[in-house]
Amino acid sequence: KIKQISISPPSASLYFSLAGDITQKGYEKKRAKLIQAYLIPVTPSSSSSSSSRYQRRRSTGSRDERYRSDVHSEAVQAALERQCERKMAVPMPSKRRSLVVQTSMEAYTPPDSSSGSEGEGSLGRTGGAGVEAWISQALRGSSSSTTSSSSSHSNGSANAARLAENNAHTYNSEYSRSTHALFTLDYVKKKKSINICAFFICAYLADLLGVPVSSRVSAKIQQLVNTLKRPKRRPLREFFVDDFEELLEVQQPDPSLPRPEGAESTITQGEELCRLKNCPASMEAALQRWGAIAPKAPCLTVTHANTKQPYTLTYGKLWSRSMKLAYYILHKLGTKQEPIVRPGDRVALVYPNNDPAAFMVAFYGCLLAEVVPVPIEVPLTKKDAGSQQIGFLLGSCGVAVALTSDACHRGLPKSLSGDIMQFKGWPKLLWVVTESKHLCKPPREWYPLIKDANNDTAYIEYKTCKDGSVLGVTVTRMAMLTHCQTLTHTCGYKEAETLVNVLDFKKDVGLWHGILTSVLNMLHVVSVPYALMKVNPLSWIQKVCHYKAKVVCVKSRDLHWALVAHRDQTDLNLSSLRMLLVADGANPWSISSCDAFLNVFQSMGLRSEVICPCASSPEALTVALRRPNESSSKPMGRGVLSMTGLSHGVIRVDTGEKLSVLTLQDVGSPMPGGTLVCVVKPETIPQLCKTDEIGEICVSSIATGTSYYGLTGMTKNTFEVCPMSSNGGLVSECVFVRSGLLGFVGPGGAIFVTGKMDGMMLVAGRRHNADDIVATALAVEPMKFVYRGRIAVFSITVLHDERIVVVAEQRPDSTEEESFQWMSRVLQAIDGIHQVGVYCLALVPSNTLPKTPLGGIHLSETKQLFQEGALHPCNVLMCPHSCVTNLPKPRQKQPGTLFVGPASVMVGNLVAGKRMAQACGRDLSQGEDNDQFLFLSEVLQWRAQTTPDHILYTLINSRGTVGSSLTCLQLHKRAEKIAALLFERGQLRDGDHVALVYPPGIDLIAAFYGCLYAGCIPITVRPPHPQNISTTLPTVKMIVEVSRSACVMTTQAICKLLRSKEASAAVDLRSWPPVLDTDDLPKRRSPLLYKPSDPESLTYLDFSVSTTGMLAGVKMSHSATSALCRSIKLQCELYPSREVAVCLDPYCGLGFVVWCLCSVYAGHQSVLIPPAELEVNPALWLLSVSQFKVRDTFCSYSVMELCTKTLGTLTDSLKHSAIILCIYMEPNWFNVCVCDVSQARGLDLSRVRTCVVVAEERPRISLTQSFSKLFKDVGLHPRAVSTAFGCRINLAVCLQGTSGPDPTTVYVDMRALRHDRVRLVERGSPHSLPLMESGKILPGVRIIIANPETKGPIGDSHLGEIWVHSSQNASGYFSVFGEENVRSDHFSARLSFGDTQTIWARTGYLGFLRRTELTDASGERHDALYVVGALDEAMELRGMRYHPIDIETSIIRTHKSITECAVFTWTKLLVVVVELDGSEQEALDLVPMVTNVVLEEHYLIVGVVVIVDTGVIPINSRGEKQRMHLRDGFLADQLDPIYVAYNM
């Protein structure tokens, strides 16, 4: 006996297995003592706490047992034990401490406000606690390594693989870390700058050792990689090929899959319906008869949850009140000439679930008035789940009047004026209270017209579809009467019998038996409301005993509640029952509840033949019902079927493997009255299934629904089905109705139901039932984690297939590690039982999922919140690697492409039948006076002599006024003094390198030309940030050392900063070269200015950090610098009379050239606006452009984005008045202050001719278009905004300029781009990507597109690397160790064939040339250059080339809270970093949305999703993302992420 108890799963029959009078507490104590020797020991903290919690919950009845099955529980545990042998180590997500605190402190909600599933509430689980504890202990002992957390801190540079192995056997919580934990609950917007030196070191060691230093995060990634290397499920044979024209599905059926082998099924017919004696001709006639013959007979007894006495409605009262309401509806609503309601109109019935009497009066009142009642649920709030769809139904039905009770009317939400609130999506309704005191008596001569049943609509029952839409099923009066007659015949109803109804009386079985059939047979219905069931789950059994009821209508959940609550009550007697109708008997999981209930209550008079499951649907009404006397004549049908076979749609009786089985019970035979039943293939043409095939059950009968109100097309597909045989012929002349139930017809005509169409999920060609998934999830230690069994399972379509999503409410006392353990086990159990992967498993706080009116989970609303990113889960586990098996096959490179390029056939300028992709700018002619000078220092001296008072530079401060200015002579004299300073104090010689550490301004320009006068080589360096000196100063120090600077020139303020205590803590002050302060210049000038002798000698070094994290300095010669300045002058038509506004960082690239060099060479006035000043005054740049009437301006993407975000809504104000927007930043807040400046003019950008965005990337077409549209109202012309393109080897390749055609935009196929091909498509085409021309090619620049691998030329409109030949190219890379030869190919490349003599410079950017129909100034056709992206940034994934900007663009538009995004790869995993601008509670919503969009649009699986605060992604001065810096910061655990999700 002990052995039997310890091995078998918990069963309700064990409660009474021990002899003697014993209390529940004593029983548990004695039982635990008996089986103690057979239990596996566990720690007291886990076992005792969980056991005590379980005892509390079990005794209070707080578990959902709709899916309880002892056999299935055994199967789940066995499957988990099998999975444990695989030792799968899953990295635990990292979560910020503030997010953990917020989610774990959710308030515990009382039991009466929650429940279990779609249709109804749910309470406790039965079974012995000891066996459940044994299962829990066994799992905990055997699978600790399976689901262990891997979020421990690693110290030092430990090996990632070893750390992952150690973490697989330990529990180290992320939340106990001491160095980087964040304990604040406040969400603070902050910007973080990252130490570039640390990044370089980490990157170097990562390349050297294969793992970054101090990389706790990389250990988790390595663990994830090791996990993903496990043998996975075999990929699908049904791949789709990523073809450019269309997606082709290649179906290769597997012959080993189970297939139906039986003969074609036939139509099953129900027995004949015996004519009932004296049966009324209509439901109104029945009511009239009983109201006249037996007015005192009880019709309905309403019980209450409080101590209030039950209320009984007699047939006489029902008849009189229904008549009164019918008269009021027809004659008192509106006027005689214009009544509001006419016969045939639809009327809403809005009654609570505890008032069936008022509903019954209203329902029959509508029938007597010949109006159509539409029963709906009571809207409790304005945002009820599904309320909007109910409103759409009412609107489509033309409902204008709503009937309700007085109590319900008082409880409806009201506006401030006292009127009932207008609910979203609802039509405007007239609310009518139906209590008798509010109605007038009808005249004595008035009498309702009682007609025989006809085909007029009797009522409309609402149905919620899988997608959340609500349909109205119409039922005619004839169908209603016939249905009641068939139920009377089937159930054997007799006059004056008592029926106890626990179901919802407004729809489905509760309406058919408790409201309609009861009146036809003069039954006495005792209604037990849901509120009473929550207080006393045994109440319905007590009512059966008290009233000696013959019939009771329940659901399987009510049986479980009674099992939990019955305790030791011995006064219960169920011998009076002849029929226990289980309304959800079609649910396969109801069989265990029926068996358990029978085992317990059989000793109390319950007979086995009494339990009668039934199958029904809103469309087909009652499909089948097991007769109370059937079991005595023939045995009850049961079958143990293979779930694997069911998933393939076939019936296979399981004999050996017990892990994946489903036990079914029949729901009886077809209904009497000539009802025809057949099984057809679902979701296709209605062809009859085979006898061993699962299909949709169809019914042909008078007693079915007629249509979906107002939906002709859907009505035809559902209510007018004509089944066909395999040869295409009709099998019957009758019209069938689809029931929405899946199943088959068994031996003897017994109907078996395996699930519902709405609950089926078609995953990888196999059908899975959502209820089956729920049952498996609940069998995995449900007591500890799932709150009241509230689990929602649904599917979403991602990448041409459905993906399973499981959402569960976790208990408030669950820890993070416990929840993650449970999720890991659920994944393993579902994989083992159903052989299907779960795409996403999410845990939400208790009582947060949308609820149905009866407290269950509103499935479609939950799905909608999940897809919209508004579910707010507290734990998420995504598994795209394991369940996405239909990725497109990567296109294989053709053999030979490594040696022979696509341009293998070349004749003249034609390559492979197309024009060679090459273009050039106009000639770089010399016609100006200054063009005769080869050196910039000579140009400045010449201008100081010829135009000494001409202003070259004007610096604007944050107030919008002129801070300082420089004329030609002032700049010349100041440069002379700086040259003297270098000679005297610096003791420098010709060719020495000097680091210029200045803020953006005039001092930087003077220092640069002072170096030229002294013959030194200047290097401009961004100064360290005073508020973040510890991370920015090492970067300055590194550039100074790498550039071999002999001294540093700077201002007095920066000198003090370099000598401060904070600076000495960051770097060693003794290692600095001499620092010269240019605020104290010598009074005398240099006696002799340096004159270069060689034009190819160095002018300056241009140092910058590329987007790939590489610090590179290029050498710019005097000839290249002069050629670059002359080219920009010709392109932009710059002359001394022009003003140019520059809002760029002056430290590298084209920004430095425009800021420092062009004004001296061309003579125009440069209005300098430091970009940092825009943080104080965002309108400074545009106001300066307007104030100085500038025609040409240069800016960066970061400046344009700042203006777009901060000034986009103020264009009207800026247009009509002068407003300066000042934003004062504080550590935790910001304040916006708008000040009027009376002396300034309104913003006017109508004079702007060119607005050039300087960047080294693909043009951001969305940002430039947004900027143009926003500022169009202040005069900005759309064609004025353009882009420039430059790179390391040539600082300015393209620049739009003033003349020439407008920049063009083309749309290319993104899928083709991944294969390095260009395919032009129309705007708006699927997978189209807009590309804007990067500007017009500068004079003196020649471009060719070459294959980056073969170095051969490529044809027009083909993708390749951009090569440049120009005199303004840089000379090469500068390096301390002389490693410039490693990258010499960048500056001295040659074509492999064709023109092999010309020396080209490789830009490292992919792009293509396309000859347009436009003409340039010379009259020739314009060649447009389109830049696609950098080769160094491109990611090679699955044999395809991806550009990060494409993936990031898709992610940013996914959710409104995503402000910025960056992607990179690590160990072949795609890592996505997302900046969250919102509450931290939204962080986990982004994980599935990011994963979905990357899968859908790019066919890639995201490996890691990192959610961070705004400002974490590093961006350089040009507004370009530093993705490699971000990668190194993430791997070094320096980002302080809100959440890190590791997708399985």
Side-chain angles (χ1 to χ4, degrees), residues 485-502:
Q485 291 173 348
T486 57
L487 292 178
T488 300
H489 174 80
T490 305
C491 301
Y493 287 129
K494 298 179 182 179
E495 294 181 9
E497 281 188 335
T498 301
L499 180 147
V500 176
N501 181 32
V502 191

Side-chain angles (χ1 to χ4, degrees), residues 1178-1240:
L1180 179 62
W1181 169 49
L1182 297 180
L1183 288 175
S1184 301
V1185 170
S1186 175
Q1187 179 181 352
F1188 286 89
K1189 302 179 181 179
V1190 169
R1191 298 182 63 184
D1192 304 291
T1193 180
F1194 293 84
C1195 70
S1196 64
Y1197 279 121
S1198 56
V1199 170
M1200 182 171 284
E1201 188 173 17
L1202 179 64
C1203 293
T1204 303
K1205 289 182 177 180
T1206 56
L1207 304 178
T1209 58
L1210 302 175
T1211 52
D1212 291 337
S1213 303
L1214 293 170
K1215 179 179 179 181
H1216 299 296
S1217 62
I1219 295 181
I1220 296 181
L1221 183 68
C1222 299
I1223 302 180
Y1224 302 98
M1225 304 299 295
E1226 294 293 339
N1228 296 337
W1229 59 279
F1230 65 92
N1231 185 25
V1232 181
C1233 178
V1234 180
C1235 310
D1236 288 328
V1237 183
S1238 57
Q1239 63 269 23

